[in-house]
Amino acid sequence: MTISCSDDITNPEIDEVQPLPPYGGTVWIESEIITENDLSSFQSIRANGTDLRTMYDRRVNDWIQVEAHLFEVTFEKFTIEAQVNPEFTSEEAQNLAAKYSEVIGKMPAVLLSKLETIWIHDGNEGFGGGNNSFDIYKEFGEVLESRGVLEEVFLHEGTHVSLDLEHASSLDWESAQNNDPTFISTYAKDNPSREDLAESFLTYFAVRFTEDRLTNEMKNVILSTIPNRIQYLDNQDFDYSPWGD
């Protein structure tokens, strides 16, 4: 996920037929969609020593091989491996892996269904989701925590991890895009094939599972902006536990 958008969104040929999106990026619109007080499916973490692993590191924009701290992380329905950069001590690594696993466990199960690994580094780079992994940076994580949107970022990135491959370019999703009034955010509009599903899923989850945490105005904006995308997600047989069926 890259927070900033690089494309020009002022094309008059587009804007004269499609209203501007209501939000810049959906991660930032409401910090209470999922909170630190919500239940987590995270169950346990077990240290597995160190071993050579290939991880992506945005600080060098490349894959790196390191003797990573390894942990087996168990959730209610899934088990994954946490790989932590050896720039941290073993104690720091376990604390970080446990901390982020607790947050990740608050995601609906569908967003963990393709997750295999979490990579944890130091640094202030944006989080990423892909390659069946979450890419996490300690300093930027602290920024997200201070703004109350750490959980919301994992909703966005979890969509990339587990839903993009099957749904982001499907004919039915593209039909929903075409039939909705506009995109939910400028970030989605600028990156329709790469970011629209993740941007939309976050707001879909909010209106379907934590709507009492939204203002009526916000709820109405979401429902009126992406009704066909919402219907598409309603029609999927996703596992949203522990939030609901």
Side-chain angles (χ1 to χ4, degrees):
M1 173 186 175
T2 303
I3 299 302
S4 62
C5 301
S6 59
D7 294 343
D8 182 3
I9 63 166
T10 60
N11 185 336
E13 294 181 1
I14 296 175
D15 291 340
E16 68 181 7
V17 299
Q18 187 178 75
L20 287 173
Y23 305 117
T26 58
V27 161
W28 310 102
I29 65 174
E30 173 53 61
S31 63
E32 301 294 309
I33 293 173
I34 296 179
T35 74
E36 62 182 10
N37 297 318
D38 287 317
L39 294 177
S40 174
S41 65
F42 168 61
Q43 293 185 333
S44 65
I45 183 169
R46 180 168 64 89
N48 281 337
T50 64
D51 202 355
L52 192 65
R53 290 291 187 272
T54 300
M55 309 161 70
Y56 194 80
D57 188 343
R58 288 188 170 190
R59 296 172 298 178
V60 295
N61 290 317
D62 205 352
W63 296 93
I64 61 172
Q65 281 197 328
V66 295
E67 191 76 12
H69 302 287
L70 303 180
F71 303 93
E72 181 181 273
V73 180
T74 302
F75 300 95
E76 184 178 342
K77 296 185 177 182
F78 309 99
T79 299
I80 67 168
E81 181 175 75
Q83 303 170 6
V84 185
N85 196 301
E87 62 200 334
F88 298 107
T89 68
S90 58
E91 182 179 1
E92 289 171 334
Q94 182 154 347
N95 289 340
L96 285 168
K99 168 185 174 177
Y100 283 109
S101 295
E102 175 73 22
V103 177
I104 291 166
K106 297 176 185 180
M107 300 305 106
V110 62
L111 299 191
L112 304 186
S113 60
K114 301 290 192 300
L115 182 66
E116 297 175 358
T117 312
I118 59 175
W119 302 320
I120 303 177
H121 305 282
D122 204 357
N124 196 30
E125 303 296 325
F127 284 21
N131 301 291
N132 304 109
S133 301
F134 286 131
D135 193 16
I136 298 167
Y137 297 84
K138 178 179 179 289
E139 289 181 45
F140 191 62
E142 291 168 353
V143 173
L144 297 174
E145 282 185 283
S146 71
R147 298 185 63 173
V149 296
L150 183 60
E151 293 85 0
E152 286 70 27
V153 166
F154 279 115
L155 275 173
H156 179 106
E157 300 301 347
T159 306
H160 287 314
V161 170
S162 293
L163 299 184
D164 271 2
L165 184 61
E166 182 176 353
H167 298 277
S169 298
S170 71
L171 292 177
D172 286 344
W173 181 257
E174 291 179 350
S175 175
Q177 282 181 323
N178 293 332
N179 288 311
D180 277 338
T182 188
F183 291 81
I184 195 64
S185 70
T186 54
Y187 189 41
K189 184 177 181 180
D190 286 351
N191 305 277
S193 61
R194 181 167 59 87
E195 297 295 343
D196 184 48
L197 179 58
E199 287 286 284
S200 300
F201 184 89
L202 189 151
T203 52
Y204 169 81
F205 177 86
V207 297
R208 287 294 185 253
F209 297 99
T210 59
E211 64 172 334
D212 58 323
R213 304 176 187 182
L214 304 176
T215 65
N216 287 333
E217 179 183 4
M218 184 177 292
K219 183 168 59 175
N220 290 336
V221 165
I222 294 167
L223 292 172
S224 63
T225 301
I226 53 169
N228 291 287
R229 291 171 175 87
I230 288 173
Q231 185 62 57
Y232 175 92
L233 293 168
D234 277 342
N235 291 341
Q236 307 307 308
D237 188 24
F238 289 155
D239 181 357
Y240 288 99
S241 61
W243 295 93
D245 297 329

PDB file of all heavy atoms in Angstrom, residues 195-226:
ATOM      1  N   GLU A 195      -6.018  -0.874  -6.481  1.00  0.00           N
ATOM      2  CA  GLU A 195      -6.406  -0.427  -5.147  1.00  0.00           C
ATOM      3  C   GLU A 195      -7.908  -0.351  -4.899  1.00  0.00           C
ATOM      4  O   GLU A 195      -8.344  -0.197  -3.768  1.00  0.00           O
ATOM      5  CB  GLU A 195      -5.791   0.947  -4.859  1.00  0.00           C
ATOM      6  CG  GLU A 195      -4.267   0.954  -4.828  1.00  0.00           C
ATOM      7  CD  GLU A 195      -3.680   0.125  -3.699  1.00  0.00           C
ATOM      8  OE1 GLU A 195      -4.403  -0.200  -2.738  1.00  0.00           O
ATOM      9  OE2 GLU A 195      -2.482  -0.215  -3.772  1.00  0.00           O
ATOM     10  N   ASP A 196      -8.718  -0.454  -5.925  1.00  0.00           N
ATOM     11  CA  ASP A 196     -10.159  -0.244  -5.738  1.00  0.00           C
ATOM     12  C   ASP A 196     -10.784  -1.268  -4.809  1.00  0.00           C
ATOM     13  O   ASP A 196     -11.601  -0.925  -3.947  1.00  0.00           O
ATOM     14  CB  ASP A 196     -10.878  -0.255  -7.088  1.00  0.00           C
ATOM     15  CG  ASP A 196     -12.363   0.050  -6.943  1.00  0.00           C
ATOM     16  OD1 ASP A 196     -12.696   1.032  -6.253  1.00  0.00           O
ATOM     17  OD2 ASP A 196     -13.186  -0.692  -7.517  1.00  0.00           O
ATOM     18  N   LEU A 197     -10.425  -2.531  -4.948  1.00  0.00           N
ATOM     19  CA  LEU A 197     -11.017  -3.554  -4.091  1.00  0.00           C
ATOM     20  C   LEU A 197     -10.622  -3.329  -2.633  1.00  0.00           C
ATOM     21  O   LEU A 197     -11.477  -3.388  -1.734  1.00  0.00           O
ATOM     22  CB  LEU A 197     -10.602  -4.946  -4.551  1.00  0.00           C
ATOM     23  CG  LEU A 197     -11.143  -6.123  -3.727  1.00  0.00           C
ATOM     24  CD1 LEU A 197     -12.663  -6.115  -3.689  1.00  0.00           C
ATOM     25  CD2 LEU A 197     -10.625  -7.446  -4.284  1.00  0.00           C
ATOM     26  N   ALA A 198      -9.353  -3.063  -2.371  1.00  0.00           N
ATOM     27  CA  ALA A 198      -8.901  -2.861  -0.995  1.00  0.00           C
ATOM     28  C   ALA A 198      -9.530  -1.616  -0.379  1.00  0.00           C
ATOM     29  O   ALA A 198      -9.941  -1.620   0.793  1.00  0.00           O
ATOM     30  CB  ALA A 198      -7.383  -2.760  -0.953  1.00  0.00           C
ATOM     31  N   GLU A 199      -9.610  -0.534  -1.149  1.00  0.00           N
ATOM     32  CA  GLU A 199     -10.232   0.692  -0.656  1.00  0.00           C
ATOM     33  C   GLU A 199     -11.723   0.474  -0.378  1.00  0.00           C
ATOM     34  O   GLU A 199     -12.264   0.968   0.618  1.00  0.00           O
ATOM     35  CB  GLU A 199     -10.053   1.810  -1.679  1.00  0.00           C
ATOM     36  CG  GLU A 199      -8.650   2.350  -1.773  1.00  0.00           C
ATOM     37  CD  GLU A 199      -8.292   3.226  -0.580  1.00  0.00           C
ATOM     38  OE1 GLU A 199      -8.740   4.374  -0.519  1.00  0.00           O
ATOM     39  OE2 GLU A 199      -7.565   2.731   0.315  1.00  0.00           O
ATOM     40  N   SER A 200     -12.384  -0.256  -1.250  1.00  0.00           N
ATOM     41  CA  SER A 200     -13.821  -0.492  -1.097  1.00  0.00           C
ATOM     42  C   SER A 200     -14.129  -1.486   0.016  1.00  0.00           C
ATOM     43  O   SER A 200     -15.106  -1.326   0.757  1.00  0.00           O
ATOM     44  CB  SER A 200     -14.413  -1.011  -2.416  1.00  0.00           C
ATOM     45  OG  SER A 200     -14.221  -0.082  -3.458  1.00  0.00           O
ATOM     46  N   PHE A 201     -13.297  -2.532   0.135  1.00  0.00           N
ATOM     47  CA  PHE A 201     -13.578  -3.562   1.137  1.00  0.00           C
ATOM     48  C   PHE A 201     -13.582  -2.975   2.538  1.00  0.00           C
ATOM     49  O   PHE A 201     -14.417  -3.346   3.378  1.00  0.00           O
ATOM     50  CB  PHE A 201     -12.567  -4.705   1.056  1.00  0.00           C
ATOM     51  CG  PHE A 201     -12.874  -5.826   2.003  1.00  0.00           C
ATOM     52  CD1 PHE A 201     -13.697  -6.875   1.628  1.00  0.00           C
ATOM     53  CD2 PHE A 201     -12.377  -5.824   3.308  1.00  0.00           C
ATOM     54  CE1 PHE A 201     -14.017  -7.895   2.515  1.00  0.00           C
ATOM     55  CE2 PHE A 201     -12.684  -6.836   4.199  1.00  0.00           C
ATOM     56  CZ  PHE A 201     -13.509  -7.880   3.800  1.00  0.00           C
ATOM     57  N   LEU A 202     -12.665  -2.074   2.824  1.00  0.00           N
ATOM     58  CA  LEU A 202     -12.603  -1.490   4.155  1.00  0.00           C
ATOM     59  C   LEU A 202     -13.924  -0.814   4.517  1.00  0.00           C
ATOM     60  O   LEU A 202     -14.451  -1.006   5.620  1.00  0.00           O
ATOM     61  CB  LEU A 202     -11.443  -0.496   4.230  1.00  0.00           C
ATOM     62  CG  LEU A 202     -11.081   0.064   5.600  1.00  0.00           C
ATOM     63  CD1 LEU A 202      -9.599   0.414   5.643  1.00  0.00           C
ATOM     64  CD2 LEU A 202     -11.891   1.299   5.959  1.00  0.00           C
ATOM     65  N   THR A 203     -14.468  -0.026   3.590  1.00  0.00           N
ATOM     66  CA  THR A 203     -15.729   0.658   3.885  1.00  0.00           C
ATOM     67  C   THR A 203     -16.907  -0.325   3.879  1.00  0.00           C
ATOM     68  O   THR A 203     -17.862  -0.156   4.637  1.00  0.00           O
ATOM     69  CB  THR A 203     -15.977   1.795   2.883  1.00  0.00           C
ATOM     70  OG1 THR A 203     -15.853   1.307   1.541  1.00  0.00           O
ATOM     71  CG2 THR A 203     -14.969   2.916   3.099  1.00  0.00           C
ATOM     72  N   TYR A 204     -16.827  -1.346   3.028  1.00  0.00           N
ATOM     73  CA  TYR A 204     -17.861  -2.397   3.058  1.00  0.00           C
ATOM     74  C   TYR A 204     -17.906  -3.062   4.428  1.00  0.00           C
ATOM     75  O   TYR A 204     -18.977  -3.230   5.024  1.00  0.00           O
ATOM     76  CB  TYR A 204     -17.577  -3.448   1.986  1.00  0.00           C
ATOM     77  CG  TYR A 204     -18.438  -4.686   2.119  1.00  0.00           C
ATOM     78  CD1 TYR A 204     -19.738  -4.693   1.639  1.00  0.00           C
ATOM     79  CD2 TYR A 204     -17.952  -5.828   2.763  1.00  0.00           C
ATOM     80  CE1 TYR A 204     -20.545  -5.819   1.779  1.00  0.00           C
ATOM     81  CE2 TYR A 204     -18.753  -6.955   2.904  1.00  0.00           C
ATOM     82  CZ  TYR A 204     -20.052  -6.937   2.413  1.00  0.00           C
ATOM     83  OH  TYR A 204     -20.845  -8.045   2.573  1.00  0.00           O
ATOM     84  N   PHE A 205     -16.747  -3.454   4.925  1.00  0.00           N
ATOM     85  CA  PHE A 205     -16.686  -4.083   6.243  1.00  0.00           C
ATOM     86  C   PHE A 205     -17.292  -3.167   7.298  1.00  0.00           C
ATOM     87  O   PHE A 205     -18.050  -3.614   8.176  1.00  0.00           O
ATOM     88  CB  PHE A 205     -15.236  -4.413   6.600  1.00  0.00           C
ATOM     89  CG  PHE A 205     -15.066  -5.008   7.970  1.00  0.00           C
ATOM     90  CD1 PHE A 205     -15.193  -6.371   8.170  1.00  0.00           C
ATOM     91  CD2 PHE A 205     -14.800  -4.198   9.062  1.00  0.00           C
ATOM     92  CE1 PHE A 205     -15.066  -6.918   9.439  1.00  0.00           C
ATOM     93  CE2 PHE A 205     -14.669  -4.734  10.334  1.00  0.00           C
ATOM     94  CZ  PHE A 205     -14.802  -6.095  10.524  1.00  0.00           C
ATOM     95  N   ALA A 206     -17.001  -1.881   7.218  1.00  0.00           N
ATOM     96  CA  ALA A 206     -17.501  -0.936   8.210  1.00  0.00           C
ATOM     97  C   ALA A 206     -19.026  -0.858   8.209  1.00  0.00           C
ATOM     98  O   ALA A 206     -19.654  -0.897   9.270  1.00  0.00           O
ATOM     99  CB  ALA A 206     -16.900   0.443   7.971  1.00  0.00           C
ATOM    100  N   VAL A 207     -19.642  -0.768   7.023  1.00  0.00           N
ATOM    101  CA  VAL A 207     -21.102  -0.618   7.002  1.00  0.00           C
ATOM    102  C   VAL A 207     -21.816  -1.934   7.289  1.00  0.00           C
ATOM    103  O   VAL A 207     -22.982  -1.930   7.703  1.00  0.00           O
ATOM    104  CB  VAL A 207     -21.607  -0.033   5.660  1.00  0.00           C
ATOM    105  CG1 VAL A 207     -21.065   1.369   5.461  1.00  0.00           C
ATOM    106  CG2 VAL A 207     -21.260  -0.925   4.474  1.00  0.00           C
ATOM    107  N   ARG A 208     -21.135  -3.045   7.112  1.00  0.00           N
ATOM    108  CA  ARG A 208     -21.790  -4.331   7.362  1.00  0.00           C
ATOM    109  C   ARG A 208     -21.536  -4.884   8.768  1.00  0.00           C
ATOM    110  O   ARG A 208     -22.374  -5.614   9.300  1.00  0.00           O
ATOM    111  CB  ARG A 208     -21.326  -5.368   6.325  1.00  0.00           C
ATOM    112  CG  ARG A 208     -21.910  -5.146   4.934  1.00  0.00           C
ATOM    113  CD  ARG A 208     -23.421  -5.369   4.975  1.00  0.00           C
ATOM    114  NE  ARG A 208     -24.032  -5.289   3.654  1.00  0.00           N
ATOM    115  CZ  ARG A 208     -24.788  -4.266   3.257  1.00  0.00           C
ATOM    116  NH1 ARG A 208     -24.998  -3.241   4.066  1.00  0.00           N
ATOM    117  NH2 ARG A 208     -25.335  -4.278   2.042  1.00  0.00           N
ATOM    118  N   PHE A 209     -20.421  -4.529   9.396  1.00  0.00           N
ATOM    119  CA  PHE A 209     -20.072  -5.166  10.664  1.00  0.00           C
ATOM    120  C   PHE A 209     -19.822  -4.198  11.821  1.00  0.00           C
ATOM    121  O   PHE A 209     -19.930  -4.602  12.977  1.00  0.00           O
ATOM    122  CB  PHE A 209     -18.844  -6.074  10.477  1.00  0.00           C
ATOM    123  CG  PHE A 209     -19.108  -7.212   9.531  1.00  0.00           C
ATOM    124  CD1 PHE A 209     -18.692  -7.140   8.214  1.00  0.00           C
ATOM    125  CD2 PHE A 209     -19.804  -8.339   9.949  1.00  0.00           C
ATOM    126  CE1 PHE A 209     -18.945  -8.179   7.323  1.00  0.00           C
ATOM    127  CE2 PHE A 209     -20.068  -9.379   9.071  1.00  0.00           C
ATOM    128  CZ  PHE A 209     -19.642  -9.302   7.752  1.00  0.00           C
ATOM    129  N   THR A 210     -19.485  -2.965  11.544  1.00  0.00           N
ATOM    130  CA  THR A 210     -19.265  -2.011  12.642  1.00  0.00           C
ATOM    131  C   THR A 210     -19.948  -0.676  12.329  1.00  0.00           C
ATOM    132  O   THR A 210     -19.400   0.395  12.580  1.00  0.00           O
ATOM    133  CB  THR A 210     -17.759  -1.791  12.905  1.00  0.00           C
ATOM    134  OG1 THR A 210     -17.118  -1.297  11.727  1.00  0.00           O
ATOM    135  CG2 THR A 210     -17.086  -3.082  13.335  1.00  0.00           C
ATOM    136  N   GLU A 211     -21.144  -0.756  11.787  1.00  0.00           N
ATOM    137  CA  GLU A 211     -21.815   0.466  11.345  1.00  0.00           C
ATOM    138  C   GLU A 211     -22.140   1.410  12.502  1.00  0.00           C
ATOM    139  O   GLU A 211     -22.252   2.625  12.293  1.00  0.00           O
ATOM    140  CB  GLU A 211     -23.109   0.128  10.590  1.00  0.00           C
ATOM    141  CG  GLU A 211     -24.169  -0.556  11.426  1.00  0.00           C
ATOM    142  CD  GLU A 211     -25.491  -0.693  10.667  1.00  0.00           C
ATOM    143  OE1 GLU A 211     -25.732   0.130   9.762  1.00  0.00           O
ATOM    144  OE2 GLU A 211     -26.252  -1.607  10.987  1.00  0.00           O
ATOM    145  N   ASP A 212     -22.263   0.878  13.720  1.00  0.00           N
ATOM    146  CA  ASP A 212     -22.538   1.739  14.863  1.00  0.00           C
ATOM    147  C   ASP A 212     -21.367   2.656  15.191  1.00  0.00           C
ATOM    148  O   ASP A 212     -21.506   3.599  15.982  1.00  0.00           O
ATOM    149  CB  ASP A 212     -22.892   0.893  16.091  1.00  0.00           C
ATOM    150  CG  ASP A 212     -21.801  -0.093  16.471  1.00  0.00           C
ATOM    151  OD1 ASP A 212     -21.165  -0.657  15.570  1.00  0.00           O
ATOM    152  OD2 ASP A 212     -21.580  -0.290  17.676  1.00  0.00           O
ATOM    153  N   ARG A 213     -20.211   2.415  14.576  1.00  0.00           N
ATOM    154  CA  ARG A 213     -19.037   3.257  14.798  1.00  0.00           C
ATOM    155  C   ARG A 213     -18.901   4.338  13.733  1.00  0.00           C
ATOM    156  O   ARG A 213     -17.943   5.113  13.758  1.00  0.00           O
ATOM    157  CB  ARG A 213     -17.779   2.386  14.851  1.00  0.00           C
ATOM    158  CG  ARG A 213     -17.883   1.286  15.906  1.00  0.00           C
ATOM    159  CD  ARG A 213     -16.688   0.351  15.907  1.00  0.00           C
ATOM    160  NE  ARG A 213     -16.928  -0.763  16.812  1.00  0.00           N
ATOM    161  CZ  ARG A 213     -16.049  -1.732  17.065  1.00  0.00           C
ATOM    162  NH1 ARG A 213     -14.863  -1.709  16.471  1.00  0.00           N
ATOM    163  NH2 ARG A 213     -16.338  -2.723  17.897  1.00  0.00           N
ATOM    164  N   LEU A 214     -19.818   4.366  12.787  1.00  0.00           N
ATOM    165  CA  LEU A 214     -19.829   5.381  11.735  1.00  0.00           C
ATOM    166  C   LEU A 214     -20.920   6.395  12.012  1.00  0.00           C
ATOM    167  O   LEU A 214     -21.950   6.067  12.599  1.00  0.00           O
ATOM    168  CB  LEU A 214     -20.092   4.734  10.368  1.00  0.00           C
ATOM    169  CG  LEU A 214     -19.163   3.619   9.902  1.00  0.00           C
ATOM    170  CD1 LEU A 214     -19.668   3.071   8.564  1.00  0.00           C
ATOM    171  CD2 LEU A 214     -17.731   4.101   9.781  1.00  0.00           C
ATOM    172  N   THR A 215     -20.722   7.614  11.559  1.00  0.00           N
ATOM    173  CA  THR A 215     -21.810   8.579  11.588  1.00  0.00           C
ATOM    174  C   THR A 215     -22.827   8.186  10.516  1.00  0.00           C
ATOM    175  O   THR A 215     -22.498   7.479   9.548  1.00  0.00           O
ATOM    176  CB  THR A 215     -21.304   9.994  11.293  1.00  0.00           C
ATOM    177  OG1 THR A 215     -20.798  10.036   9.944  1.00  0.00           O
ATOM    178  CG2 THR A 215     -20.197  10.389  12.276  1.00  0.00           C
ATOM    179  N   ASN A 216     -24.070   8.638  10.678  1.00  0.00           N
ATOM    180  CA  ASN A 216     -25.082   8.364   9.659  1.00  0.00           C
ATOM    181  C   ASN A 216     -24.676   8.946   8.315  1.00  0.00           C
ATOM    182  O   ASN A 216     -24.909   8.336   7.268  1.00  0.00           O
ATOM    183  CB  ASN A 216     -26.433   8.935  10.094  1.00  0.00           C
ATOM    184  CG  ASN A 216     -27.074   8.120  11.204  1.00  0.00           C
ATOM    185  OD1 ASN A 216     -26.825   6.919  11.323  1.00  0.00           O
ATOM    186  ND2 ASN A 216     -27.898   8.763  12.007  1.00  0.00           N
ATOM    187  N   GLU A 217     -24.043  10.115   8.357  1.00  0.00           N
ATOM    188  CA  GLU A 217     -23.602  10.730   7.112  1.00  0.00           C
ATOM    189  C   GLU A 217     -22.573   9.863   6.405  1.00  0.00           C
ATOM    190  O   GLU A 217     -22.660   9.643   5.186  1.00  0.00           O
ATOM    191  CB  GLU A 217     -23.010  12.111   7.389  1.00  0.00           C
ATOM    192  CG  GLU A 217     -22.503  12.801   6.138  1.00  0.00           C
ATOM    193  CD  GLU A 217     -21.846  14.139   6.436  1.00  0.00           C
ATOM    194  OE1 GLU A 217     -21.719  14.492   7.619  1.00  0.00           O
ATOM    195  OE2 GLU A 217     -21.452  14.818   5.474  1.00  0.00           O
ATOM    196  N   MET A 218     -21.616   9.356   7.154  1.00  0.00           N
ATOM    197  CA  MET A 218     -20.582   8.528   6.543  1.00  0.00           C
ATOM    198  C   MET A 218     -21.178   7.237   5.975  1.00  0.00           C
ATOM    199  O   MET A 218     -20.843   6.813   4.858  1.00  0.00           O
ATOM    200  CB  MET A 218     -19.501   8.201   7.573  1.00  0.00           C
ATOM    201  CG  MET A 218     -18.330   7.432   7.024  1.00  0.00           C
ATOM    202  SD  MET A 218     -17.052   7.170   8.280  1.00  0.00           S
ATOM    203  CE  MET A 218     -16.480   8.873   8.484  1.00  0.00           C
ATOM    204  N   LYS A 219     -22.055   6.625   6.745  1.00  0.00           N
ATOM    205  CA  LYS A 219     -22.696   5.398   6.275  1.00  0.00           C
ATOM    206  C   LYS A 219     -23.470   5.642   4.977  1.00  0.00           C
ATOM    207  O   LYS A 219     -23.382   4.850   4.020  1.00  0.00           O
ATOM    208  CB  LYS A 219     -23.615   4.848   7.358  1.00  0.00           C
ATOM    209  CG  LYS A 219     -24.279   3.529   7.005  1.00  0.00           C
ATOM    210  CD  LYS A 219     -24.933   2.892   8.223  1.00  0.00           C
ATOM    211  CE  LYS A 219     -25.980   3.799   8.831  1.00  0.00           C
ATOM    212  NZ  LYS A 219     -26.705   3.129   9.941  1.00  0.00           N
ATOM    213  N   ASN A 220     -24.219   6.730   4.919  1.00  0.00           N
ATOM    214  CA  ASN A 220     -24.996   7.041   3.725  1.00  0.00           C
ATOM    215  C   ASN A 220     -24.096   7.338   2.533  1.00  0.00           C
ATOM    216  O   ASN A 220     -24.419   6.964   1.393  1.00  0.00           O
ATOM    217  CB  ASN A 220     -25.928   8.224   3.996  1.00  0.00           C
ATOM    218  CG  ASN A 220     -27.058   7.859   4.948  1.00  0.00           C
ATOM    219  OD1 ASN A 220     -27.429   6.697   5.061  1.00  0.00           O
ATOM    220  ND2 ASN A 220     -27.591   8.844   5.648  1.00  0.00           N
ATOM    221  N   VAL A 221     -22.972   8.002   2.767  1.00  0.00           N
ATOM    222  CA  VAL A 221     -22.033   8.284   1.685  1.00  0.00           C
ATOM    223  C   VAL A 221     -21.500   6.981   1.098  1.00  0.00           C
ATOM    224  O   VAL A 221     -21.457   6.803  -0.125  1.00  0.00           O
ATOM    225  CB  VAL A 221     -20.874   9.168   2.189  1.00  0.00           C
ATOM    226  CG1 VAL A 221     -19.718   9.152   1.194  1.00  0.00           C
ATOM    227  CG2 VAL A 221     -21.345  10.587   2.420  1.00  0.00           C
ATOM    228  N   ILE A 222     -21.112   6.050   1.955  1.00  0.00           N
ATOM    229  CA  ILE A 222     -20.561   4.778   1.477  1.00  0.00           C
ATOM    230  C   ILE A 222     -21.612   4.002   0.683  1.00  0.00           C
ATOM    231  O   ILE A 222     -21.359   3.532  -0.432  1.00  0.00           O
ATOM    232  CB  ILE A 222     -20.043   3.948   2.654  1.00  0.00           C
ATOM    233  CG1 ILE A 222     -18.846   4.643   3.311  1.00  0.00           C
ATOM    234  CG2 ILE A 222     -19.656   2.534   2.194  1.00  0.00           C
ATOM    235  CD1 ILE A 222     -18.454   4.075   4.659  1.00  0.00           C
ATOM    236  N   LEU A 223     -22.808   3.880   1.252  1.00  0.00           N
ATOM    237  CA  LEU A 223     -23.858   3.095   0.612  1.00  0.00           C
ATOM    238  C   LEU A 223     -24.297   3.688  -0.721  1.00  0.00           C
ATOM    239  O   LEU A 223     -24.648   2.946  -1.647  1.00  0.00           O
ATOM    240  CB  LEU A 223     -25.060   2.975   1.554  1.00  0.00           C
ATOM    241  CG  LEU A 223     -24.842   2.138   2.818  1.00  0.00           C
ATOM    242  CD1 LEU A 223     -26.030   2.264   3.756  1.00  0.00           C
ATOM    243  CD2 LEU A 223     -24.595   0.676   2.465  1.00  0.00           C
ATOM    244  N   SER A 224     -24.280   5.001  -0.833  1.00  0.00           N
ATOM    245  CA  SER A 224     -24.728   5.636  -2.074  1.00  0.00           C
ATOM    246  C   SER A 224     -23.623   5.727  -3.117  1.00  0.00           C
ATOM    247  O   SER A 224     -23.908   5.846  -4.313  1.00  0.00           O
ATOM    248  CB  SER A 224     -25.278   7.038  -1.781  1.00  0.00           C
ATOM    249  OG  SER A 224     -24.275   7.879  -1.249  1.00  0.00           O
ATOM    250  N   THR A 225     -22.368   5.648  -2.686  1.00  0.00           N
ATOM    251  CA  THR A 225     -21.253   5.778  -3.622  1.00  0.00           C
ATOM    252  C   THR A 225     -20.908   4.466  -4.299  1.00  0.00           C
ATOM    253  O   THR A 225     -20.596   4.438  -5.499  1.00  0.00           O
ATOM    254  CB  THR A 225     -20.007   6.327  -2.895  1.00  0.00           C
ATOM    255  OG1 THR A 225     -20.310   7.598  -2.324  1.00  0.00           O
ATOM    256  CG2 THR A 225     -18.832   6.478  -3.848  1.00  0.00           C
ATOM    257  N   ILE A 226     -20.939   3.340  -3.569  1.00  0.00           N
ATOM    258  CA  ILE A 226     -20.498   2.065  -4.153  1.00  0.00           C
ATOM    259  C   ILE A 226     -21.551   0.960  -3.947  1.00  0.00           C
ATOM    260  O   ILE A 226     -21.225  -0.140  -3.511  1.00  0.00           O
ATOM    261  CB  ILE A 226     -19.137   1.620  -3.582  1.00  0.00           C
ATOM    262  CG1 ILE A 226     -19.152   1.582  -2.037  1.00  0.00           C
ATOM    263  CG2 ILE A 226     -18.028   2.542  -4.083  1.00  0.00           C
ATOM    264  CD1 ILE A 226     -17.919   0.894  -1.442  1.00  0.00           C
TER     265      ILE A 226
END
